[in-house]
Amino acid sequence: MGQEPIYHIPALLDECMDGLHISPSGIYVDATFGGGGHSGAILSRLDTGHLYAFDQDTDAEKNRFRDNKFTFVRSNFKFLKNFLRYHQVDEIDGLLADLGVSFHHFDDARRGFSFRFDARLDMRMNNRGGKSGADILNEYTEERLADIFYLYGELKAARKIAAAIVRSRNTAPITDTARLLETVRPFIDRKQEKKELAQLFQALRIEVNQEMDSLKKLLTQATECLRPGGRLVILTYHSLEDRLVKNYFKTGNFEGKPDVDFFGRINAPLKPVNHKIITPSKEEMETNPRSRSAKLRIAEKV
């Protein structure tokens, strides 16, 4: 299969498979193929069914399976509906999305996802196009940068950090991790340095890849594509994603405002299967540290 020794260890694997409630003859989508861990588990449960796996990363494509029940789609999952239509798929029985960043992305210095390496600030999941992290740091206004760091990174010093970046780039462009860290460290709490730097890099990554907009498009299109009784299984890793998924599952919109009928019943296309989020066991968190912040939500098409 051409898979690297450790590309990504799938989080909550058994719980995700249980959530999908897989039919051997069903049609399923893995919206975030990555290293193929979740996809492999789905495929092993299919007989006459089929799995469509999406990933926009050329590195992930190297892990694709050679199996007549499997189709790899090299695309962002926000184009789900278009590609299913292209493959003449009208309805699906379930969709899984693991929204976490893989071991591979964090550990490959060339991709610029981690502050552990001195590398060019790329951060693009699709490295064939679009703005990089460096582009955003050097082109966005101070106000827009501050909004990104506050909304996506929840950093209290967002405005000071943005101002420092603008001052620094006026001297020379900020293109690598070392220069960014040198610029922002005076405004980072030393007691929480790793946490706040992770929040900063998270905010920049979310903006680079337009993750919130893509997630909204995925959820709405997946709901349209699911057959009645079909399952939507979403793994989130930070509060911004989880809030969107929670609101959408409960109310059918991202603001979480329920549309209630005369009898007080919520009009929504989905119904949550697990009203309490599913989190990893102590054992899993010990063996797979990146699963520690994972939250699993499952919903069924009404």
Side-chain angles (χ1 to χ4, degrees):
M1 295 176 190
Q3 194 163 323
E4 296 178 12
I6 297 179
Y7 188 103
H8 184 66
I9 300 173
L12 291 161
L13 182 60
D14 292 338
E15 292 85 349
C16 287
M17 296 305 106
D18 290 343
L20 280 173
H21 197 59
I22 295 170
S23 163
S25 60
I27 305 297
Y28 294 90
V29 170
D30 181 351
T32 48
F33 178 68
H38 286 115
S39 278
I42 295 169
L43 274 176
S44 71
R45 290 161 169 80
L46 295 181
D47 182 9
T48 57
H50 201 89
L51 173 65
Y52 295 87
F54 284 67
D55 209 299
Q56 60 187 330
D57 192 338
T58 51
D59 288 345
E61 188 173 2
K62 298 170 187 174
N63 302 320
R64 67 190 185 276
F65 303 121
R66 308 295 180 185
D67 191 307
N68 58 13
K69 299 190 296 290
F70 177 80
T71 299
F72 183 86
V73 181
R74 191 174 74 179
S75 173
N76 188 307
F77 55 53
K78 68 182 179 181
F79 300 114
L80 171 73
K81 202 170 180 180
N82 286 348
F83 278 96
L84 288 180
R85 190 182 299 122
Y86 172 79
H87 288 287
Q88 299 181 315
V89 176
D90 297 321
E91 287 186 327
I92 60 174
D93 294 273
L95 180 143
L96 166 69
D98 179 350
L99 303 176
V101 180
S102 70
F103 280 96
H104 173 74
H105 288 121
F106 280 128
D107 294 341
D108 185 348
R110 297 168 301 172
R111 303 298 294 270
F113 282 92
S114 174
F115 55 84
R116 292 182 291 131
F117 308 106
D118 181 14
R120 180 170 174 79
L121 290 160
D122 191 321
M123 294 188 173
R124 294 172 298 167
M125 293 289 187
N126 178 359
N127 48 17
R128 297 182 299 276
K131 288 186 183 294
S132 69
D135 293 332
I136 286 168
L137 289 172
N138 292 291
E139 295 174 11
Y140 278 23
T141 64
E142 181 179 323
E143 183 180 7
R144 193 171 177 189
L145 286 172
D147 286 345
I148 289 166
F149 298 144
Y150 182 75
L151 295 173
Y152 296 159
E154 300 176 298
L155 288 163
K156 293 178 181 178
R159 292 195 180 281
K160 292 179 180 178
I161 291 170
I165 287 170
V166 171
R167 286 195 301 271
S168 181
R169 78 188 190 193
N170 286 338
T171 304
I174 300 172
T175 58
D176 57 53
T177 308
R179 182 83 192 289
L180 177 59
L181 294 181
E182 179 188 1
T183 301
V184 304
R185 269 208 168 100
F187 309 98
I188 297 293
D189 186 340
R190 287 187 180 181
K191 294 178 182 177
Q192 301 188 85
E193 184 174 86
K194 284 187 178 179
K195 179 185 176 184
E196 292 195 4
L197 287 176
Q199 289 171 288
L200 176 71
F201 273 65
Q202 170 186 289
L204 194 53
R205 188 200 79 226
I206 288 172
E207 179 63 20
V208 166
N209 296 289
Q210 296 293 297
E211 292 178 23
M212 294 298 103
D213 179 62
S214 294
L215 176 56
K216 288 178 181 179
K217 289 178 178 176
L218 172 68
L219 292 170
T220 53
Q221 291 180 45
T223 303
E224 292 170 9
C225 294
L226 278 174
R227 66 164 181 79
R231 294 287 183 89
L232 191 51
V233 177
I234 310 290
L235 272 165
T236 65
Y237 293 81
H238 58 76
S239 59
L240 300 172
E241 294 171 337
D242 188 56
R243 196 177 304 124
L244 277 182
V245 175
K246 177 183 177 182
N247 287 345
Y248 188 75
F249 278 12
K250 285 189 172 182
T251 66
N253 62 66
F254 301 110
E255 295 74 33
K257 297 177 181 177
D259 174 22
V260 181
D261 68 15
F262 179 78
F263 300 101
R265 295 172 299 202
I266 296 175
N267 292 314
L270 302 169
K271 64 176 181 181
V273 172
N274 60 317
H275 294 280
K276 184 178 179 182
I277 56 170
I278 298 170
T279 56
S281 65
K282 184 179 178 181
E283 292 74 23
E284 177 171 347
M285 288 189 281
E286 288 173 353
T287 57
N288 185 9
R290 288 211 172 101
S291 74
R292 287 174 185 168
S293 58
K295 297 178 177 67
L296 178 63
R297 294 187 185 274
I298 304 161
E300 187 172 280
K301 177 77 173 282
V302 177

